[in-house]
Amino acid sequence: MIKIALFDAKPYDKPAFDRYGAQGGVEYHYFETKLTEETASLAAGYDGVCAFVNDDLSRPVIEKLYSLGIRLAVLRCAGFNNVDLQAAYGKIHVLRVPAYSPHAVAEHAMALLLTSVRRIHKAYNRTREFNFSLNGLAGFDLFGKTVGVIGAGKIGRAFIDICRGFSMRVLYYDKFAGEIEGATSVSLDTLFQESDVISLHCPLTEETDHLICAQTLAQMKKGVIIINTSRGGLIDAEDLLAAIKEKQVGAALLDVYEEESDLFFEDVSGHILQDDVLSRLLSMPNVIVTSHQAFLTEEALSAIAETTTQNAVDFFAGKPLVNEVCYRCESFGECKKQRKGKCF
Ligand code: NAI
């Protein structure tokens, strides 16, 4: 039996991980705490760790895990910006779930957009109080509007397909992707200038960190709607707040937030929120925040547990690690995986 310490465990993780673990010969031990330098020692005696988006896999944590004999970190997510891949290289193999349900995230992005433009969140609260007035609920059609998609990978493309279904004009900017039927590849400047709605679907990297900031917000159409279901760090939240106050941004629909790690996924309703920027954003009538829930569908949870378990099984069976990530693949476009089946 392969024993994996699964950090930041939530009740909704367990059914699928138990099911696929039993099928694959992997026993998951669930730790509610996040993986940090302080909690890394809990991994002693396990064959590997399983981490999620807000677990810390920085250099000190990697070194601590390595000293405990851990050689495998399976991420139950697609993004890996929380991992110091350079520190992990040569020590701990890092595998992820590159795709589980791009539709889950893309559909959530559209759910946020529709909620905002048709004021569903306000109508829901009103009718529960028997307030059937329509005053202030006028929205607008998406039909014929221009949407700009930044990052046209699996999720970005799924979102593009949905937008095309609404007969929107679709522009996209992607550093690497080729042509997409029914959508127009444009420069970032053009995308900022022409889009009524901008949706972020690129990874968080040094290059994309604070891609949405005062300078780029100023380039956008007045009243632009910004959707972020990718990573919080893509947006400078203080600059976004200022642009909302100036009415440069018409709505901000955020499933992720740059300082989310101590808040999102947790119930902190009995506490005083210390993050003034988030408090102020939440007080805005044109801001909708969901707490990193875009992935949360039954289909996605199943696919995540299945691939994560397969990743662990492949590692211990010495099979090629198709889902391994390393800094060399990321930085140099070359990696030993093609020749050796693993990155080192
Ligand atoms: P993907 O790897 O299929 O697509 C990412 C795309 O971004 C690629 O086409 C790539 O060429 C492009 N890209 C890379 N650097 C870029 C740059 N500097 N400028 C423009 N485009 C760039 O990834 P996928 O599966 O579509 O996921 C996208 C992001 O969504 C992930 O990085 C992750 O952060 C986020 N995500 C959020 C979830 C949530 O629950 N909110 C769940 C899953 C993923």
Side-chain angles (χ1 to χ4, degrees):
M1 207 53 145
I2 300 163
K3 283 171 63 196
I4 301 278
L6 188 147
F7 285 87
D8 201 8
K10 295 285 184 280
Y12 48 78
D13 290 318
K14 292 180 188 174
F17 273 93
D18 281 345
R19 193 166 68 245
Y20 285 103
Q23 285 172 20
V26 179
E27 187 183 306
Y28 290 101
H29 186 100
Y30 301 99
F31 291 102
E32 285 182 19
T33 180
K34 287 193 181 63
L35 177 58
T36 63
E37 210 176 334
E38 288 72 41
T39 62
S41 55
L42 291 169
Y46 288 91
D47 301 309
V49 295
C50 178
F52 195 48
V53 292
N54 291 325
D55 286 311
D56 176 4
L57 279 154
S58 58
R59 183 176 287 278
V61 179
I62 301 263
E63 281 168 6
K64 175 86 188 166
L65 292 172
Y66 184 71
S67 74
L68 296 170
I70 299 290
R71 300 292 177 265
L72 173 69
V74 279
L75 307 178
R76 53 184 194 283
C77 52
F80 46 87
N81 53 288
N82 54 333
V83 185
D84 185 334
L85 288 179
Q86 213 150 350
Y89 192 79
K91 290 191 166 123
I92 293 181
H93 293 269
V94 179
L95 282 77
R96 66 172 182 143
V97 183
Y100 34 93
S101 173
H103 311 290
V105 182
E107 288 173 16
H108 190 79
M110 181 48 88
L112 288 171
L113 180 58
L114 284 172
T115 302
S116 171
V117 299
R118 301 312 306 271
R119 323 289 190 234
I120 303 295
H121 53 313
K122 293 178 190 296
Y124 175 80
N125 285 332
R126 276 193 195 183
T127 54
R128 287 170 69 86
E129 304 256 323
F130 310 120
N131 174 354
F132 302 106
S133 155
L134 296 184
N135 293 338
L137 295 187
F140 60 82
D141 293 3
L142 292 179
F143 180 91
K145 295 287 185 313
T146 299
V147 59
V149 176
I150 301 181
K154 291 175 284 297
I155 296 170
R157 281 169 195 250
F159 186 70
I160 287 172
D161 283 347
I162 295 172
C163 292
R164 289 183 57 209
F166 279 77
S167 296
M168 298 182 82
R169 172 181 173 240
V170 183
L171 308 179
Y172 70 95
Y173 168 76
D174 190 295
K175 212 173 161 192
F176 308 104
E179 291 201 359
I180 299 175
E181 203 191 323
T184 310
S185 171
V186 293
S187 68
L188 256 187
D189 286 345
T190 304
L191 187 143
F192 288 145
Q193 286 154 16
E194 295 190 10
S195 301
D196 302 297
V197 177
I198 294 176
S199 196
L200 306 175
H201 299 289
C202 59
L204 177 62
T205 62
E206 268 178 33
E207 194 179 348
T208 59
D209 188 57
H210 285 186
L211 178 69
I212 306 300
C213 60
Q215 191 196 346
T216 50
L217 285 161
Q219 282 180 264
M220 296 175 195
K221 277 189 175 179
K222 197 163 180 67
V224 64
I225 296 179
I226 295 178
I227 311 170
N228 189 7
T229 56
S230 193
R231 284 293 180 267
L234 295 174
I235 298 182
D236 182 320
E238 288 191 33
D239 288 359
L240 176 67
L241 180 58
I244 293 169
K245 284 186 187 167
E246 287 159 12
K247 304 204 170 105
Q248 170 66 5
V249 168
L253 314 173
L254 311 173
D255 186 52
V256 286
Y257 172 66
E258 60 179 335
E259 301 300 332
E260 73 178 45
S261 64
D262 290 332
L263 296 170
F264 284 20
F265 308 114
E266 308 300 333
D267 179 0
V268 293
S269 55
H271 297 75
I272 305 294
L273 190 59
Q274 298 296 331
D275 185 324
D276 291 349
V277 176
L278 182 59
S279 297
R280 194 74 180 92
L281 283 170
L282 285 166
S283 75
M284 297 286 180
N286 52 354
V287 173
I288 300 176
V289 175
T290 52
S291 49
H292 210 134
Q293 89 177 62
F295 74 100
L296 196 65
T297 65
E298 292 297 337
E299 292 82 353
L301 288 170
S302 249
I304 288 168
E306 185 177 15
T307 305
T308 304
T309 303
Q310 194 59 52
N311 283 344
V313 169
D314 288 350
F315 177 79
F316 288 104
K319 289 191 179 164
L321 303 180
V322 284
N323 294 326
E324 185 170 13
V325 281
C326 82
Y327 84 98
R328 294 171 69 93
C329 330
E330 285 298 297
S331 314
F332 310 125
E334 59 110 354
C335 157
K336 294 186 179 149
K337 198 156 57 175
Q338 278 171 356
R339 280 181 285 123
K340 299 178 75 176
K342 47 188 175 178
C343 292
F344 58 88

